[in-house]
Amino acid sequence: MTTDAAAVWLIVGLGNPGPEYAGNRHNVGFMVADLLAERISGRFKRAGKAQAQVVEGRIGPPGPAGRRVILAKPMSFMNLSGGPVNALREFYKVPVAQVVAVHDELDIDYGTLRLKLGGGDNGHNGLKSMTKAFGADYHRVRFGIGRPPGRMQVADYVLRDFSSAERKELDYCVDRAADAVECLVIDGLERAQGTYNS
């Protein structure tokens, strides 16, 4: 699947809207999107009719090597992310292969990153909704949150804030995930995987 150097990239941080969810493990995609917006000195604002907040800008070096990006945070709940993301994708004419979903991943140890193109949703409702809306051939930056301890339900675990021990590493991990997104968009998947998949 090739990418179009002239086309815009749509980078989607997945999460749930509202202050009560802000620190949840499920909202790590929002945290990465917020940091990327800060790096390009942008502020999220409502995106017309789409149920999302967006920032438009460029990442990478100035000039033709830089990439035009739309950073987005769907303002639907996680399991309805596909509708707002697809509305933005169509509005900005973004090829599916230039959509990047940044999301929490249960089956990876906390703080570990994995980048990939396409694949299943692994039970993640945000990915499930996106795949239903426009197919599975988009990029994913998977941010490991680990499995719930003991018999804790998955839904309870992902909707809890990071533990105090996890929070000590969180800024570093979010920073590294933002670096991985930039590397993916500027240098391509293979280079990003080689650098950030651990």
Side-chain angles (χ1 to χ4, degrees):
M1 180 104 13
T2 57
T3 57
D4 174 358
V8 66
W9 286 76
L10 175 59
I11 299 165
V12 182
L14 291 178
N16 285 310
E20 66 272 34
Y21 298 106
N24 289 180
R25 291 182 178 92
H26 223 19
N27 270 43
V28 75
F30 275 17
M31 297 173 197
V32 175
D34 285 338
L35 179 56
L36 287 165
E38 199 178 297
R39 288 182 180 185
I40 62 172
S41 304
R43 291 176 66 92
F44 277 99
K45 58 182 188 291
R46 197 79 185 186
K49 293 180 180 175
Q51 203 178 353
Q53 291 183 353
V54 298
V55 172
E56 297 183 46
R58 297 187 81 84
I59 62 175
R67 297 284 184 266
R68 185 169 163 245
V69 296
I70 309 297
L71 305 174
K73 297 192 296 186
M75 291 289 111
S76 59
F77 282 90
M78 179 71 86
N79 60 350
L80 299 173
S81 300
V85 175
N86 200 39
L88 292 173
R89 193 186 68 76
E90 290 179 344
F91 180 78
Y92 289 105
K93 300 179 171 54
V94 181
V96 173
Q98 285 179 219
V99 176
V100 181
V102 185
H103 64 92
D104 57 304
E105 178 63 62
L106 286 161
D107 287 335
I108 302 174
D109 289 341
Y110 173 68
T112 299
L113 297 176
R114 292 271 195 285
L115 287 78
K116 63 184 269 194
L117 173 61
D121 56 58
N122 209 20
H124 192 287
N125 288 330
L127 298 182
K128 198 176 289 183
S129 180
M130 286 176 60
T131 296
K132 187 176 178 187
F134 53 84
D137 294 329
Y138 53 91
H139 287 85
R140 298 100 191 276
V141 174
R142 303 154 74 203
F143 186 112
I145 60 169
R147 301 293 304 180
R151 296 185 175 189
M152 186 187 290
Q153 295 294 311
V154 165
D156 293 334
Y157 179 69
V158 299
L159 293 176
R160 288 214 176 148
D161 286 2
F162 287 99
S163 69
S164 55
E166 289 168 334
R167 280 199 296 272
K168 288 176 184 166
E169 303 289 326
L170 186 58
D171 286 349
Y172 167 78
C173 294
V174 168
D175 195 65
R176 193 164 177 271
D179 290 346
V181 171
E182 292 182 348
C183 184
L184 167 63
V185 169
I186 296 161
D187 298 320
L189 179 61
E190 199 171 317
R191 171 75 65 85
Q193 285 175 325
T195 306
Y196 294 98
N197 279 13
S198 47

